[in-house]
Amino acid sequence: REATEPRTAKEPPQGMVTISPSSAQVVPRNERSQLARALAEGRFATIVELMPPKGHVSETIIEHARSLKIRGVDVVYIPEGPRGARMSALSLAVLVQQHAWIETVLQYSCRDRNLLGMQSDLLGAHAMGVRNLELVTGDVRSVGDYPDATVVFDVDSIGLTNVVTRLNQGLDIGGQAIGSPTAFHIGVQVNPAAEDLEAEIRRFEYKVEAGAEFAVTKPIFDVDSFERLYKRIEKHRVPLIVALWPFESALNAEFMANEVPGVRVPQTMIDRMRQAELDGRATDEGAAIARDIGRALKGSVQGVRVAAPSGRIDGALNVLAGLR
């Protein structure tokens, strides 16, 4: 699932906070993407997550993306999938934009790439039309189908935010001019359910200082934890997008509660799903829970990102329909 920040807060890399000025003309934020314009104008954005497929066949995902566009969804979010034989998120984001004609947000992780490789990836992504990024550090524990695979972590998400801000100013990681600046819309992740809330807030503030322009939460199941975080960070005036996850089953709820790092699921919610499953209405109850959370938080956020577990976009659309 979504990449997560390390539990121990890392200080921003030495020398990476102050960004040198450039003579290049920076692209205004509201001209970088449709999502950037919507958030800058205070409009509410709707986003649905589509996981990269196993293997190389993308037609089903692209057809889902087309359906989402027809149904009025603003943006498709492409996360980096668990390790295994899955298409890269960058490749899928480009294919979706080219063939489904809907804008994407690309999740981009520091976990498996060195700094030069990340810079090359991002320049290539920009050349192919990707503009919205969600920059994350990546999983720090062994997950997925290949638990023995190594990690890189040249920088964390704070350092990478600095790198992308430099690219937007027409500078590479060494401060050398690259010609025309990039026009990335820079998003980061923030977790209201972090074990160490003070460290999470401190990291968020570093990200804002580094150039973050919007933030997306981890999946929210506990409204109180979101409100505690929101009171501490609203002064930064960074648009927030809340992530919603409609449970498919009681087992899915228990998995999110016990196996997904950085996520807090109240026991009352698990009990609701267990009872709903006994009554044969687990999917509907999962969507209802996500709608309830979305309605409770809609006044504090500028958008929602709804997951489509198992690739079932009808469930995500059902949640969005209840928020409009």
Side-chain angles (χ1 to χ4, degrees), residues 212-233:
E213 296 165 314
F214 71 98
V216 185
T217 70
K218 294 281 287 179
I220 298 295
F221 302 102
D222 180 4
V223 172
D224 290 341
S225 65
F226 174 88
E227 291 178 343
R228 283 193 295 271
L229 176 77
Y230 181 73
K231 290 176 182 177
R232 300 283 302 278
I233 67 173

Side-chain angles (χ1 to χ4, degrees), residues 189-212:
Q189 199 172 81
V190 64
N191 184 14
E195 291 185 7
D196 186 341
L197 186 60
E198 294 301 320
E200 184 70 11
I201 291 169
R202 185 164 63 250
R203 286 184 59 82
F204 175 77
E205 290 172 343
Y206 285 145
K207 293 173 188 178
V208 173
E209 182 182 354

Side-chain angles (χ1 to χ4, degrees), residues 264-279:
R264 181 181 302 155
V265 182
Q267 184 61 43
T268 54
M269 214 164 278
I270 296 173
D271 294 340
R272 280 179 66 178
M273 288 302 300
R274 287 173 177 167
Q275 184 58 53
E277 192 154 294
L278 292 174
D279 297 338

Side-chain angles (χ1 to χ4, degrees), residues 220-299:
I220 298 295
F221 302 102
D222 180 4
V223 172
D224 290 341
S225 65
F226 174 88
E227 291 178 343
R228 283 193 295 271
L229 176 77
Y230 181 73
K231 290 176 182 177
R232 300 283 302 278
I233 67 173
E234 63 176 324
K235 62 184 178 183
H236 296 290
R237 304 183 66 83
V238 173
L240 289 177
I241 295 171
V242 62
L244 303 176
W245 179 281
F247 297 127
E248 294 183 291
S249 63
L251 182 61
N252 183 216
E254 291 169 358
F255 177 83
M256 292 295 290
N258 300 314
E259 301 297 331
V260 179
V263 171
R264 181 181 302 155
V265 182
Q267 184 61 43
T268 54
M269 214 164 278
I270 296 173
D271 294 340
R272 280 179 66 178
M273 288 302 300
R274 287 173 177 167
Q275 184 58 53
E277 192 154 294
L278 292 174
D279 297 338
R281 52 181 184 83
T283 302
D284 290 342
E285 186 68 11
I289 289 172
R291 280 197 304 272
D292 290 346
I293 295 169
R295 287 171 181 157
L297 301 181
K298 190 174 181 181

Side-chain angles (χ1 to χ4, degrees), residues 48-50 63-76 102 313-314 316-317 320 324:
V48 172
E49 174 183 321
L50 293 178
E63 190 57 41
H64 285 336
R66 288 176 183 152
S67 297
L68 293 172
K69 181 176 176 64
I70 292 170
R71 298 286 290 274
V73 173
D74 297 316
V75 182
V76 166
I102 185 171
I313 62 172
D314 287 345
L317 290 168
L320 289 177
R324 289 190 172 116

Side-chain angles (χ1 to χ4, degrees), residues 174-188:
Q176 302 299 310
I178 61 171
S180 297
T182 57
F184 286 119
H185 183 212
I186 305 173
V188 295

